[in-house]
Amino acid sequence: MKPVILFIVFFFSISVYSQKTADEIIAKVIAAQGGYDKLKAIQTMKLLGTLEIQGQKIPYNTYQIHDKVSKSELTFNGLQQYQILYQDSGFVFSAFQGMTAPERMTPEDIKQGRDGLDLQGVLVDYAKKGHSVELLEPEDVDGVDAIQLKVNLNTGKTQFYFIDPENYYPIRIKTKGISNGQEYTNVTDYYNFKATSNGIIIPHTIGNLSFDNIEINVPIDQKIFEIKKAK
């Protein structure tokens, strides 16, 4: 066999092995979160909590309908801020920035945020969704030798999942993408993993966000997603 053919066979073998290993890791992550069937059953989510900024705890709530729409809102000192995102449109409003009416999100930002509408998680049936996954070298995350998965999303955004090898919880996600024509990198840490009443394990602390109550598959009033400015 010629050297070039040997190289191709070797490279293909390594790629197949790596993907198989990545899929094995993903299966363990999904199992640790409650299992495939429970995650696939998620259709709505309501998260009520607080956002901590400079020692101030600000009420922060999120309402989501799987693959359709999400709304995150906060109110502080009588001022309101919110973001509403659909698959093909989005709106932002912030009285803190002097806005008097909601503004449309740019097509680029809508595309970048679209994966957040997937309540079941991008790792669930990732290939069918048009994503790809690579297993990278482990990386230290605050003393944890974390398993690292590189997830190339169908939106063009890239996420790096850092997974605790003891329990297979994603403890950090690093996201790279483009917003308003500028490249960005966000790093978010996940803590305080607890089971919901549905038996799904969800981090109740995400960065500087802490959720006191997370409900899954509860009715959500469609009026929540109406576009309004603050009173």
Side-chain angles (χ1 to χ4, degrees):
M1 188 177 290
K2 295 181 179 180
V4 67
I5 297 177
L6 281 171
F7 174 77
I8 292 172
V9 170
F10 174 76
F11 180 78
F12 178 75
S13 299
I14 291 296
S15 298
V16 170
Y17 176 77
S18 177
Q19 189 59 49
K20 179 181 178 182
T21 305
D23 286 341
E24 290 172 351
I25 296 298
I26 290 171
K28 291 181 179 180
V29 170
I30 290 173
Q33 294 175 335
Y36 178 86
D37 291 341
K38 287 183 179 179
L39 294 182
K40 285 290 289 183
I42 297 176
Q43 292 302 313
T44 68
M45 190 176 294
K46 180 167 69 173
L47 307 95
L48 309 179
T50 56
L51 175 68
E52 186 168 345
I53 301 178
Q54 297 180 344
Q56 293 276 2
K57 292 188 175 182
I58 303 170
Y60 185 98
N61 302 325
T62 298
Y63 309 89
Q64 297 176 285
I65 299 176
H66 175 61
D67 267 350
K68 291 183 178 180
V69 61
S70 72
K71 179 180 182 179
S72 297
E73 62 179 8
L74 63 85
T75 304
F76 183 66
N77 286 342
L79 299 178
Q80 184 184 33
Q81 177 175 303
Y82 67 77
Q83 174 180 293
I84 298 174
L85 177 66
Y86 291 88
Q87 285 283 350
D88 56 2
S89 63
F91 301 86
V92 294
F93 176 82
S94 177
F96 301 97
Q97 298 178 8
M99 292 184 184
T100 58
E103 297 181 0
R104 287 187 176 273
M105 296 173 62
T106 66
E108 194 173 69
D109 284 345
I110 293 167
K111 182 179 179 181
Q112 288 288 306
R114 196 175 289 146
D115 61 279
L117 297 176
D118 184 356
L119 298 184
Q120 298 168 2
V122 298
L123 295 181
V124 175
D125 293 333
Y126 72 87
K128 292 180 181 179
K129 296 172 182 176
H131 311 316
S132 64
V133 180
E134 303 172 49
L135 180 63
L136 304 183
E137 291 295 318
E139 187 168 309
D140 180 80
V141 176
D142 298 331
V144 175
D145 192 22
I147 300 166
Q148 183 180 182
L149 291 176
K150 180 181 179 182
V151 184
N152 303 298
L153 301 178
N154 60 17
T155 58
K157 187 164 64 177
T158 301
Q159 292 184 322
F160 299 84
Y161 279 65
F162 298 94
I163 299 159
D164 189 329
E166 290 191 2
N167 51 33
Y168 288 91
Y169 295 161
I171 56 176
R172 174 174 290 174
I173 296 178
K174 180 169 67 176
T175 302
K176 292 186 176 182
I178 297 175
S179 177
N180 298 319
Q182 300 293 320
E183 293 185 0
Y184 70 87
T185 299
N186 289 336
V187 178
T188 305
D189 291 330
Y190 297 80
Y191 311 94
N192 194 19
F193 288 81
K194 295 190 293 187
T196 66
S197 60
N198 309 68
I200 297 171
I201 308 298
I202 294 180
H204 283 55
T205 302
I206 303 173
N208 59 346
L209 270 173
S210 295
F211 295 106
D212 304 312
N213 188 25
I214 298 178
E215 296 179 279
I216 294 174
N217 292 338
V218 294
I220 294 181
D221 190 345
Q222 295 291 325
K223 291 182 179 180
I224 288 175
F225 305 108
E226 292 179 355
I227 311 300
K228 298 178 181 179
K229 67 178 181 179
K231 296 180 180 180

